[in-house]
Amino acid sequence: MVQPCIITVAITGSLPRKENNPAVPIRVSEQIESTHEAYEAGAALVHVHVRNDDQSTTSDPDKFAAFLDGVREYCPDIIVQFSTGGRSGTGSERSGMLQLRPDMASLTTGSCNFPSSIYENSPALIRRLAETMNEYGVRPEIEVFDLAMLYNAAGYLDEGLLSGPLHVQFVLGIKHALPARRDILEFEVAKLAQLMPDATWVAAGVGRYQLDVNRWSLEMGGHCRTGLEDNVRWDKSRLAASNAELVARVADLCGDYGRTVATPAEARAILDLQDRSAGSPW
Ligand code: ZN
C-alpha cells in the first residue's frame, strides 16, 4: 500500500548563504512563523537549526527551547526535529538541546567531505549522541550522506544502540558527497529494504536538485524534504518566497504520483511517534 507522503520542511540551514534569501528565517520568532505557514501548507515535520541574530551558527539550548514552545503553541501536532549537525557546534554542544525532548533529532552515522570542510562524526560522538537520544526518548532520523552511513546504522541497530523501525534520510547533491542521481537513490533504497525492511525513508536533494529528488521520492514511495535550508531558489529565475511556498509545491505534486499529503497525525503513526494531538502532556 502506498503511504501518505510526510513532507519535512527544513526551514533554516546552518550556513550563511552566499546568495542570501531574505525569506530564510533567522530569529526564533521568524522561525516559528515560518514553521506555522509551512504547517498550513502541508508540512508534518520541521527540521531546525537555530542561529544567532547576526546569522552566525549556534547550538544555544535556550533558542531551541523558545522555538519548541512557540511551535507547540501554534502547530501543536507538528513533529519537531532538532539538528545535531556538525555546523551547530562541536562535541557535547551538539547534544545540549536533546534534554528538551523534541520528537526527533538528526543523527549522522559517519563522516564525509562537504564542499569546503569535513563533516566529522567520530564513532565515539555518534555513540554519545545516540545514547543521549535514547536517554531522553528522542527518535533519531538517520542522515545518510554516503553509503557507509547506511551500513553503520544497520550495525548500530544490530547491537541495540539504535532501535527500529528507523527513519532514514538520504541526502543527495552535496559537493564531495553523493551526487543527485536517481540510480544512486534507487540503490540506496534497495539496500535499505534488504537491511531494514521495516524502515521508512525520505530523501533530500540539495540546491537545484531539490525538486527532482522530491519527484523521485514520491514515485518510489518515500517521503519528501524541502525547505530553505537545502535550496533558496524557486527556479533559475527567482528566489523562493518562503518555506511554505516550497512545501506547497511538494503538496501539489503528491497527486501526480497517487500520493496524499500526510497529516501530522498520519505522520506520527507512520513514524511510530507519540500522538500529540489528543492533548497528551508535553
Ligand atoms: Zn539540517
Side-chain angles (χ1 to χ4, degrees), residues 76-90:
D77 51 355
I78 198 169
I79 298 165
V80 176
Q81 181 187 95
F82 290 165
S83 171
T84 65
R87 289 158 169 168
S88 308
T90 54

Side-chain angles (χ1 to χ4, degrees), residues 10 12-14 47-49 81 83 85 106 225 229-230:
T12 308
S14 57
H47 167 90
V48 65
H49 301 247
Q81 181 187 95
S83 171
S106 56
R225 166 161 147 164
E229 171 174 348
D230 300 343

Side-chain angles (χ1 to χ4, degrees), residues 19-161:
E19 180 184 35
N20 215 342
N21 181 337
V24 177
I26 302 297
R27 294 172 194 273
V28 171
S29 58
E30 295 168 347
Q31 292 187 307
I32 294 165
E33 190 178 344
S34 189
T35 300
H36 191 201
E37 290 170 4
Y39 168 83
E40 299 280 337
L45 193 163
V46 58
H47 167 90
V48 65
H49 301 247
V50 292
R51 298 233 205 134
N52 293 310
D53 292 352
D54 66 0
Q55 299 209 24
S56 59
T57 59
T58 177
S59 53
D60 181 355
D62 290 346
K63 287 192 184 292
F64 279 108
F67 176 79
L68 198 55
D69 281 351
V71 165
R72 284 176 174 172
E73 180 176 346
Y74 292 105
C75 22
D77 51 355
I78 198 169
I79 298 165
V80 176
Q81 181 187 95
F82 290 165
S83 171
T84 65
R87 289 158 169 168
S88 308
T90 54
S92 58
E93 284 175 56
R94 289 172 52 177
S95 61
M97 78 302 271
L98 296 174
Q99 60 190 331
L100 298 167
R101 300 178 186 271
D103 297 289
M104 302 184 81
S106 56
L107 178 67
T108 304
T109 46
S111 302
C112 66
N113 279 354
F114 273 180
S116 57
S117 61
I118 300 174
Y119 186 23
E120 191 174 326
N121 298 287
S122 70
L125 177 66
I126 296 165
R127 188 167 296 278
R128 197 160 62 240
L129 286 170
E131 286 169 350
T132 308
M133 289 182 202
N134 290 340
E135 181 183 348
Y136 292 111
V138 178
R139 290 285 302 280
E141 176 182 276
I142 305 301
E143 307 299 327
V144 171
F145 294 82
D146 210 347
L147 191 60
M149 299 181 191
L150 180 61
Y151 284 83
N152 288 341
Y156 292 132
L157 199 55
D158 281 348
E159 70 164 83
L161 178 65

Side-chain angles (χ1 to χ4, degrees), residues 223-244:
H223 302 285
C224 288
R225 166 161 147 164
T226 188
L228 295 166
E229 171 174 348
D230 300 343
N231 163 45
V232 296
R233 302 198 68 84
W234 175 261
D235 59 20
K236 282 184 191 155
S237 65
R238 72 165 171 92
L239 295 173
S242 64
N243 278 303

